[in-house]
Amino acid sequence: MNTCIIIPCYNEFDRLPVSEFLSYISINEIFFCFVNDGSSDDTLALLNSIQTKFPEKVTVISSEMNAGKAETIRIAVLQLIINPDISFIGFFDADLATPLSEISFLLRKIKNNDSIDLIMGSRIKRLGGVIKRKYSRFLFGRIFATIVSEYLLKLPIYDTQCGAKIFRKNVFINIFDEPFITNWIFDVEILLRLKEKYGSKFLEKNVYEFPLNYWEEKGGSKIKFIDFFKVPKDIINLKIKYKN
């Protein structure tokens, strides 16, 4: 098992699709790291029950305080990146808006292409794929993506915010060392750190957006409408910090 998928969890007791995880873990050689981000419900007990069933394939990290998705994933990566048995690290959202079946497609693409160091799920609505998303969020997403692409990254990236990504561990050494200055758009900050360390050409050649076969917006999202109003400030802060 040279691949570990991180699943950040905050108050997911009533939302976590446990049966889907159990079914997938039972027949696939993928390691999972569930991270309890200071949940106030029984999420931790639920995660521990999954680990009990598959102790060799599942590990659980738990924090008493809620730190947010960005910090939760960062802490998990820092623990996994020193594991010599792991070559690929990824993260998926706990609600499985991106189903676990997409892992095999992402892994096949990155493992068969030595030039790809980061593969990102992309919610491109197209013939042959199923993307179920509220139009309002789709519209905001396109506006956001355009600003990020033209103003911050200056690269033609379609979808930075899909919660399904896998990367080669050795290329990401030091990328997660410092806490992110953003939370919900930390995905953009990851790309900015890669650009700062390796340059624009690296992102052009070594980052691949993979059109997902299926993605479905789930209810009970932790991202509220008010969070959208914080995005402009986050973008400005990123522009100031990563001057490239």
Side-chain angles (χ1 to χ4, degrees):
M1 290 185 290
N2 68 344
T3 301
C4 181
I5 303 297
I6 299 166
I7 309 293
C9 301
Y10 174 65
N11 288 348
E12 301 288 352
F13 182 78
D14 293 323
R15 299 176 69 238
L16 194 74
V18 177
S19 60
E20 293 180 42
F21 278 108
L22 294 178
S23 177
Y24 184 88
I25 295 171
S26 68
I27 60 175
N28 289 278
E29 293 300 311
I30 301 291
F31 189 68
F32 281 85
C33 177
F34 291 91
V35 189
N36 174 48
D37 182 25
S39 298
S40 58
D41 62 3
D42 290 327
T43 293
L44 179 58
L46 192 62
L47 300 182
N48 286 336
S49 70
I50 297 175
Q51 183 184 35
T52 299
K53 290 181 173 63
F54 298 101
E56 296 182 355
K57 294 183 179 181
V58 175
T59 186
V60 174
I61 300 174
S62 185
S63 172
E64 293 184 2
M65 301 293 292
N66 175 242
K69 181 180 179 181
E71 182 65 7
T72 297
I73 291 177
R74 190 183 77 88
I75 294 302
V77 169
L78 290 178
Q79 291 196 31
L80 296 171
I81 213 163
I82 60 176
N83 187 332
D85 296 325
I86 295 176
S87 300
F88 297 90
I89 299 174
F91 49 89
F92 271 51
D93 290 335
D95 61 7
L96 295 186
T98 305
L100 294 172
S101 57
E102 295 291 317
I103 293 176
S104 60
F105 297 110
L106 296 172
L107 277 178
R108 187 180 303 123
K109 186 68 177 180
I110 193 172
K111 287 186 175 182
N112 291 339
N113 294 269
D114 292 337
S115 63
I116 299 177
D117 292 311
L118 166 62
I119 188 164
M120 312 191 305
S122 188
R123 296 164 292 186
I124 300 174
K125 198 166 187 177
R126 72 196 194 287
L127 293 175
V130 178
I131 305 297
K132 299 181 179 181
R133 193 179 191 186
K134 291 180 180 178
Y135 183 74
S136 59
R137 287 186 179 252
F138 165 77
L139 187 60
F140 177 83
R142 299 316 315 135
I143 296 172
F144 173 80
T146 300
I147 294 173
V148 167
S149 176
E150 299 294 328
Y151 180 68
L152 283 178
L153 295 169
K154 299 178 182 178
L155 292 167
I157 294 181
Y158 181 86
D159 185 5
T160 60
Q161 299 310 111
C162 178
K165 295 176 174 66
I166 298 177
F167 57 86
R168 293 182 190 274
K169 180 185 74 173
N170 62 317
V171 177
F172 275 70
I173 300 296
N174 301 328
I175 296 297
F176 288 84
D177 284 358
E178 295 183 9
F180 295 101
I181 66 171
T182 60
N183 187 29
W184 294 117
I185 64 171
F186 78 99
D187 312 70
V188 177
E189 195 167 354
I190 290 175
L191 294 171
L192 287 168
R193 289 183 179 186
L194 288 172
K195 183 180 179 182
E196 187 175 64
K197 182 175 182 179
Y198 297 110
S200 294
K201 293 296 183 182
F202 172 86
L203 293 184
E204 292 175 2
K205 296 180 178 180
N206 298 72
V207 177
Y208 187 89
E209 289 193 87
F210 186 89
L212 295 175
N213 297 292
Y214 189 93
W215 187 91
E216 181 178 2
E217 184 176 327
K218 302 291 185 177
S221 172
K222 301 299 187 303
I223 303 177
K224 305 304 180 184
F225 186 74
I226 193 173
D227 292 320
F228 295 143
F229 293 99
K230 302 175 183 177
V231 171
K233 181 180 179 181
D234 284 342
I235 290 175
I236 293 172
N237 287 337
L238 289 177
K239 184 67 173 179
I240 293 172
K241 181 173 176 61
Y242 301 95
K243 298 176 181 178
N244 49 45

